[in-house]
Amino acid sequence: MKRPLQIAVDGPAGSGKGTAASMLGKVLKLPVLDTGLLYRFVAWRAMESRVDLNNTDAFLSFVSLALKTMSWRTEGVFFDGKDCTSLLRGEDVGAVASKVASMPAVREALLQMQQTLAIQGCVMDGRDIGTVVLPEAQVKFFLTASLRERGRRRWLQLTPLAQRKQSLEQMIKEVALRDQRDSERTLAPLKQAEDAIVIDSTTLRQDEVVDRMLRVLKRRDLIELDEYR
Ligand code: DC
């Protein structure tokens, strides 16, 4: 029997992986799982509760309690039954999420949750999906784009949330800092899996990125391309 299709989409902030994953999931009728939301949720709860991230033991008990209040679905993250996804999208939460994500115990607590939901087949996006979470995924994509373009995208994305507190140049610096933190941590750093297909989206439209992904799936006989035209 065929294993349900798992597609890993990794890449740095602003690489377009979230949009590509959700467009691809829609086309293929597969659940889309955004793993960044899990780290963002932990960060958001810690910020709201003013927990000291440096007090490791206290922080870890806080995390295990916080995770009991959360449910993670393809639609987003629910806190005490309410959808809190839009509260997690800001760059301030992203920056704390990046710190929280460097803690091995936090990653361990979230790993099984991700692997369990993926069993049904999915498009899953994050930083370590192809390398750690779903090393057996049938297809792995690694999206990139120039730092400037990624900063610009993040800056524009945050406009509707009225969270554009800083200039474009500041945003580019923040994205660079997040890249550095995500790539330099010892456990499960942002890294391209050896068997990942790299797509540089700097000059591509979102539909062109998805088109390239579909062609790869077709080349590997995982889909009939004609079905999706
Ligand atoms: O993709 P994002 O911006 O929503 O992710 C927020 C932070 O969470 C990111 O800076 C690093 C961390 N993260 C991670 O370490 N591993 C993942 N699989 C997803 C996100």
Side-chain angles (χ1 to χ4, degrees):
M1 211 177 73
K2 261 201 190 162
R3 208 159 53 89
L5 183 58
Q6 294 178 330
I7 303 174
V9 184
D10 289 303
S15 58
K17 62 185 185 317
T19 310
S22 92
M23 286 170 74
L24 190 63
K26 212 175 259 172
V27 173
L28 300 176
K29 299 194 177 57
L30 277 177
V32 179
L33 295 164
D34 173 356
T35 61
L37 286 178
L38 294 175
Y39 296 92
R40 284 175 179 267
F41 176 79
V42 171
W44 174 63
R45 292 312 306 143
M47 289 160 83
E48 292 279 300
S49 312
R50 298 177 190 276
V51 182
D52 180 5
L53 300 189
N54 298 314
N55 182 343
T56 314
D57 288 343
F59 181 65
L60 292 178
S61 351
F62 171 82
V63 171
S64 79
L65 284 178
L67 292 180
K68 292 195 174 104
T69 63
M70 182 202 76
S71 79
W72 181 48
R73 310 180 202 156
T74 54
E75 305 85 34
V77 167
F78 291 71
F79 169 54
D80 280 341
K82 286 200 199 90
D83 188 350
C84 63
T85 316
S86 63
L87 302 173
L88 309 180
R89 295 284 185 199
E91 198 52 32
D92 47 350
V93 179
V96 180
S98 172
K99 283 189 197 151
V100 158
S102 67
M103 299 178 186
V106 172
R107 301 202 74 83
E108 203 179 305
L110 297 177
L111 179 62
Q112 209 186 356
M113 199 182 283
Q114 297 168 71
Q115 291 174 331
T116 305
L117 267 194
I119 289 173
Q120 53 183 326
C122 64
V123 181
M124 183 174 268
D125 83 82
R127 301 289 189 290
D128 60 340
I129 310 307
T131 50
V132 176
V133 181
L134 304 176
E136 304 296 328
Q138 288 93 331
V139 193
K140 301 174 185 178
F141 293 106
F142 190 88
L143 261 57
T144 63
S146 70
L147 173 63
R148 194 162 186 89
E149 175 60 15
R150 292 189 291 111
R152 192 187 70 86
R153 288 177 191 168
R154 287 299 288 148
W155 193 64
L156 292 175
Q157 243 173 23
L158 295 180
T159 318
L161 302 178
Q163 285 177 352
R164 199 200 280 179
K165 293 180 200 134
Q166 73 271 66
S167 68
L168 172 60
E169 295 309 319
Q170 271 172 314
M171 177 59 92
I172 292 171
K173 276 193 201 139
E174 278 183 26
V175 169
L177 199 68
R178 198 130 79 82
D179 282 357
Q180 191 184 4
R181 209 181 287 121
D182 292 343
S183 321
E184 290 181 357
R185 66 172 178 240
T186 25
L187 190 68
L190 165 68
K191 186 172 83 174
Q192 179 191 326
E194 272 176 26
D195 50 350
I197 288 154
V198 180
I199 300 178
D200 184 332
S201 71
T202 309
T203 59
L204 295 178
R205 290 190 317 266
Q206 284 159 351
D207 60 305
E208 292 173 319
V209 172
V210 175
D211 207 49
R212 286 190 186 198
M213 291 172 144
L214 288 169
R215 280 168 197 281
V216 171
L217 289 159
K218 160 75 180 145
R219 264 204 312 273
R220 296 193 182 178
D221 276 335
L222 291 164
I223 60 164
E224 295 283 339
L225 192 55
D226 297 342
E227 274 179 52
Y228 302 106
R229 295 226 165 253

